[in-house]
Amino acid sequence: EAIDGAAWRLPLPVDESATPLEPLLLNTAAESEAARREAARKLISNRKGVVPFCLRGAGRGGFPQVSAPLSDPRASPSGDAQVKAAVDEALRGVASHLLQGGGAAILPEAVGPAAFARREDVEVCLKYFQDRVGVPRDMSFPAARQLRAHIGSYLEATTAVTTSV
């Protein structure tokens, strides 16, 4: 479960011993805060590349397919402007919560109107991104863990909005 993303849920544990799967984690509050800031900085500074990358989740798969299931170097991003706006809004929400949320779960009220309107597309695109954040290529392991958990929390908030409406 930990490898497949079940552990990418907020709040992430703090002050717990590292596990064999996560031996480099100190699991301190200071490490968590620094990791959230790093994840937000990477997400914000790479926004122009991250949004189109996410849109590959709603686009077409590449041809010919490659053997690695999460690798799709020839995928085409969705050209739908509304999906792009919704994904951009969702990523801004994730970045904002990384900086201001203190590691708590994202509340349904934080889901923006564009992301709510296209929530199915947003879910596909954010999961595509969540599964492909690279360590150490994109960011450190603690930062990637925070980013994945915050994306998951945003998706849970989107689902909560859907079920409460």
Side-chain angles (χ1 to χ4, degrees), residues 31-108:
E31 179 188 58
S32 293
E33 182 179 342
R36 286 191 303 273
R37 283 194 317 267
E38 178 190 347
R41 180 177 51 82
K42 294 285 191 166
L43 184 57
I44 293 165
S45 66
N46 293 306
R47 181 179 150 264
K48 288 183 180 180
V50 171
V51 172
F53 185 81
C54 289
L55 291 173
R56 293 167 74 171
R60 289 187 317 245
F63 185 81
Q65 290 184 322
V66 294
S67 60
L70 294 179
S71 178
D72 197 359
R74 298 176 198 90
S76 301
S78 169
D80 187 325
Q82 289 180 341
V83 174
K84 182 178 181 180
V87 168
D88 187 49
E89 180 182 84
L91 290 171
R92 288 172 190 257
V94 169
S96 175
H97 200 73
L98 281 162
L99 294 172
Q100 300 173 8
I106 297 174
L107 298 175

Side-chain angles (χ1 to χ4, degrees), residues 9-10 16-18 26-28 39 42 46-47 52 59 63 79 82-83 87 98 108 122 126 133 140 147 160:
R9 300 182 73 122
L10 291 179
E16 291 183 9
S17 299
L26 300 175
N27 279 333
T28 63
K42 294 285 191 166
N46 293 306
R47 181 179 150 264
F63 185 81
Q82 289 180 341
V83 174
V87 168
L98 281 162
V122 166
L126 291 188
V133 173
S140 69
L147 178 60

